[in-house]
Every structure is written in C-alpha cells, then in structure tokens.
C-alpha cells in the first residue's frame, strides 16, 4: 500500500491551551506525523498577548517548522472552523489526507495511522470518523494540566461524559459526540469538526456517519469503535473557558446550550464531574474484536442506513412522551390506591 500524504491541522488559543500544546505535539509526532506538515493556527484576543511568543517557542522546540497562522480576535467556533477550512483549502491538495484535531483531542488509531488511511483508501473511503472518549482525572476533579507525565496518564479515567451531561436538544445531539478524524483535503470540515461540510460527496469508512448509528448512545458500543479520540476537555481551566465563550458575541446556539449544561453540572457537584452520572469504560467492558473483523462488522452495520438525526429526534420525543405517560399513569394508580385505603 502506498504511503499516504498526511497533514495535521489545529487551532490553539494561547490564553488557555498552551499547557496542552507540548503533549499534543508529542502525541502526533509519535503517531508518525511529519513535523513540517503540522499546521497550527494561533488565536489571541490581542496582538500583544505574550502567549503568541510562548506558543512559537513550543512549536520550535518540537520541530514544527511551518510558521503558525495568526488569528487576532475573540474566539468563536464558527470563525475558527471557517479559518481552518480556508487554511486547509490553501495548503492541502484535494487528494491529501488531513487530520483535524483540536489541541485537547488525542487520536487513537487501531493500527499505524498511515496504514489505517491506506486501508480506508483501498475500501474506497475518503473520510474516517471516530467516537469521542472523555478523559478525566481521578475522582472527576477538574485538574490542572502538568508538564509530566503524559497528559493521558494525568487523566486516566476513560468515560462517556459529553452525552451524559449534554444530552440532546433542538440545537445539538448525537452528532456532536463523534469527530471527523481524517478526510481527503477536498472535504473541508463542518462547524465543530464532526463531519465534512454540507454538500460534500463523502464515502465514510463505516459506510454511514457514526453519529447516525442507532447504537451510538450505548456506551458499550462507543467504547468498541476502534477509531477513537481521547478528549482532554475536563481540566481546571474549563469553567473559565466556558464563561468566556458564553459571553462572546457570535457563540452558537449549540455552544450556549452545551456550555450552560456543563456549568450547571459543575455547580451541582462541587466543581467536578459526578462519576455516578457518567459511563465508565471499566464498568462497560466492551468487546475486543480484532480490528479487521470489527471494521467489517461496522461496515455491515453501516449498510442498514441507521437512523437519521430527524428520526432520532422524533424517537427522543416519543420516548420522552411515553416516559411521561408512564409516570403520570403510575401516579394516578398510586393515588387511587391511597384513596381506597
């Protein structure tokens, strides 16, 4: 199989992300990404932010020789993803493979990334998605990111948090719990980086978008998907980052909804993740089928054309109404029984 041409793109907010940046760089260099093919957008609210120079120093120390793109403005998700798409279109050839990974996202591939992308190409796929696996510090504490050990050792608990806390609403849902790990350069990322931009003719590795698989809500299924993104989101700086984002004009409705739900959870649980309210990998114990066999199984599942997002929302509403009806009926039965006593 020919070795694919691979780029890696990210955006780093120098106000909050610099503690993660060295870990992120080492992770992807260890995966085999060439340092000259790492493209970093540095975001700062003002040009005088000293974090810009510190970020340049970190990049140079890790051999990332390509000069970073500089974006001076308050952060909004929409603008950031538009900039990432523009940079990708300018730098990457249509047939190149592009990994898009936020600075808190650490890809977990089931085989060397070049081999996995070559395998995808042999199957006619040009987009690889993965599930988000949340990484937590012991006890669910929002801990600081230290220089050592490896950040995944600092946050060793693998869990499903985003769906447990965020749930679904009219403006966000299951699709937000998966990521587009890699795609050909011609497929620009949609806002959020969960899938390619609308209108793209995409061939997915699992035949259908992972966020539309009817099993995607099941933690055991999520932990069994071989392509994963370890998400070091739940750190000490998170509440301040969320407050800043919610106060910035241009924040998306989904960002407002999900951000507020996270802050509400911290407020109810002494500023930490309540591990009793999330699914832990060690409790789910997913199967460990070999990668080629699991890939074939998921591609067979993808032929079913799993539930689309509108159908998912309808099922959610009907399920919710059914639950409310059952609760109301139970209360009426209990009330009648009490009245007969």
């Amino acid at each position: 199989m020919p070795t694919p041409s691979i780029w890696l793109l990210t955006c780093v907010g120098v106000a909050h992300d610099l503690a993660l940046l060295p870990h992120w760089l080492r992770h992807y260099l260890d995966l085999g990404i060439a340092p000259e093919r790492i493209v970093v957008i540095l975001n700062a609210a003002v040009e005088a932010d000293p974090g810009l120079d510190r970020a340049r120093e970190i990049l140079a120390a890790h051999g990332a020789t390509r000069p970073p793109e500089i974006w001076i403005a308050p952060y909004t998700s929409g603008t950031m993803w538009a900039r990432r798409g523009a940079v990708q279109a300018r730098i990457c050839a249509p047939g190149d493979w592009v990994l898009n990974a936020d600075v808190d996202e650490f890809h977990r591939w089931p085989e060397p990334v070049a081999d996995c992308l070559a395998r995808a190409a042999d199957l006619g796929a040009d987009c690889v998605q993965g599930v988000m696996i949340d990484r937590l510090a012991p006890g669910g504490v929002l801990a600081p990111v230290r220089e050592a050990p490896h950040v995944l050792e600092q946050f060793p608990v693998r869990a499903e948090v985003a769906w447990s806390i965020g749930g679904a609403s009219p403006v966000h849902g299951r699709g937000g719990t998966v990521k587009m790990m890699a795609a050909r350069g011609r497929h620009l990322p949609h806002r959020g980086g969960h899938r390619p931009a609308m209108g793209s003719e995409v061939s997915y590795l699992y035949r259908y978008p992972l966020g539309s698989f009817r099993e995607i809500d099941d933690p055991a299924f999520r932990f069994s998907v071989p392509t994963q993104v370890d998400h070091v989101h739940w750190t000490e700086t998170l509440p301040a980052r969320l407050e800043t984002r919610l106060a910035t004009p241009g924040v998306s409705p989904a960002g407002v909804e999900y951000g507020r739900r996270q802050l509400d959870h911290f407020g109810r649980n002494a500023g930490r993740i309540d591990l009793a309210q999330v699914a832990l990998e060690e409790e789910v114990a997913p199967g460990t089928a070999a990668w080629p066999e699991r890939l074939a199984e998921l591609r067979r599942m993808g032929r079913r054309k799993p539930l689309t997002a509108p159908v998912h929302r309808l099922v959610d509403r009907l399920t919710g109404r059914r639950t409310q009806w059952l609760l109301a009926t139970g209360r009426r039965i209990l009330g009648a029984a009490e009245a007969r006593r």
Side-chain angles (χ1 to χ4, degrees), residues 162-222:
W163 181 248
S164 299
I165 290 179
S169 81
V171 294
H172 79 290
R174 295 165 176 82
T177 68
V178 305
K179 291 292 288 195
M180 184 173 76
M181 294 173 65
R184 296 291 191 178
R186 60 182 173 271
H187 296 310
L188 302 183
H190 190 265
R191 181 171 181 160
H194 308 294
R195 56 180 174 80
M198 300 293 289
S200 299
E201 292 293 330
V202 183
S203 176
Y204 291 96
L205 178 61
Y206 302 126
R207 296 188 187 273
Y208 214 68
L210 268 177
S212 295
F213 274 61
R214 65 191 65 170
E215 296 87 356
I216 200 67
D217 297 350
D218 179 2
F221 174 80
R222 297 180 64 82

Side-chain angles (χ1 to χ4, degrees), residues 48-62:
D49 194 318
L52 290 169
D53 286 339
R54 177 59 187 142
R56 291 187 181 97
E57 292 171 359
I58 294 171
L59 292 171
H62 289 82

Side-chain angles (χ1 to χ4, degrees), residues 16-312:
H16 300 291
D17 295 340
L18 293 189
L20 280 167
L21 182 57
H23 294 282
W24 185 90
L25 286 165
R26 288 194 292 270
H27 178 82
Y28 286 97
L29 290 168
D30 287 347
L31 287 183
I33 305 303
E36 67 273 13
R37 287 188 165 242
I38 298 175
V39 182
V40 177
I41 301 171
L42 297 179
N43 171 237
V46 295
E47 291 183 0
D49 194 318
L52 290 169
D53 286 339
R54 177 59 187 142
R56 291 187 181 97
E57 292 171 359
I58 294 171
L59 292 171
H62 289 82
T65 55
R66 178 175 288 273
E69 308 275 331
I70 306 299
W71 167 31
I72 306 298
Y75 174 93
T76 66
S77 177
T79 303
M80 187 272 287
W81 283 104
R83 282 182 167 266
R84 273 165 78 158
V87 169
Q88 177 175 322
R90 188 179 81 243
I91 294 175
C92 307
D96 290 344
W97 283 100
V98 182
L99 276 58
N100 266 288
D102 294 343
V103 74
D104 62 358
E105 294 175 355
F106 296 78
H107 286 187
R108 180 184 291 243
W109 295 86
E111 61 183 327
V113 60
D115 293 347
C116 196
L117 296 178
R119 185 188 298 272
D122 285 348
L123 292 170
D126 54 17
C127 179
V128 180
Q129 289 180 306
V131 293
M132 300 279 279
I133 304 296
D134 296 293
R135 299 294 295 235
L136 306 178
V141 174
L142 301 181
V145 176
R146 305 186 305 275
E147 290 184 13
H150 192 289
V151 72
L152 299 183
E153 295 179 44
Q154 297 179 46
F155 295 81
V157 180
R158 284 169 48 88
E160 198 299 297
V161 178
W163 181 248
S164 299
I165 290 179
S169 81
V171 294
H172 79 290
R174 295 165 176 82
T177 68
V178 305
K179 291 292 288 195
M180 184 173 76
M181 294 173 65
R184 296 291 191 178
R186 60 182 173 271
H187 296 310
L188 302 183
H190 190 265
R191 181 171 181 160
H194 308 294
R195 56 180 174 80
M198 300 293 289
S200 299
E201 292 293 330
V202 183
S203 176
Y204 291 96
L205 178 61
Y206 302 126
R207 296 188 187 273
Y208 214 68
L210 268 177
S212 295
F213 274 61
R214 65 191 65 170
E215 296 87 356
I216 200 67
D217 297 350
D218 179 2
F221 174 80
R222 297 180 64 82
F223 289 122
S224 74
V225 174
T227 47
Q228 300 180 355
V229 179
D230 282 319
H231 191 206
V232 187
H233 172 74
W234 314 94
T235 69
E236 182 183 51
T237 64
L238 178 57
R241 284 185 279 132
L242 290 173
E243 293 286 6
T244 299
R245 186 170 299 185
L246 293 177
T248 301
V251 62
S252 68
V256 171
E257 182 80 15
Y258 182 40
R260 181 51 54 194
R261 291 186 183 189
Q262 292 175 78
L263 289 171
D264 289 347
H265 182 90
F266 303 148
R268 293 192 303 270
N269 295 285
R272 66 178 64 201
I273 301 293
D274 181 1
L275 298 185
Q277 297 185 39
V278 304
L280 304 179
E281 182 183 41
E282 62 188 24
E283 297 174 351
V284 173
T288 55
W291 158 233
E293 288 75 15
R294 184 58 173 153
L295 172 60
E297 182 181 8
L298 288 168
R299 285 176 62 82
R300 286 194 297 272
M301 294 170 69
R303 288 197 184 99
R304 302 172 316 187
K305 292 192 174 179
L307 297 179
T308 60
V311 175
H312 265 311

Side-chain angles (χ1 to χ4, degrees), residues 324-340:
Q324 292 301 316
W325 178 82
L326 288 171
L327 290 172
T329 301
R331 285 193 291 268
R332 285 197 296 272
I333 292 171
L334 290 173
E338 288 290 335
R340 288 195 298 269

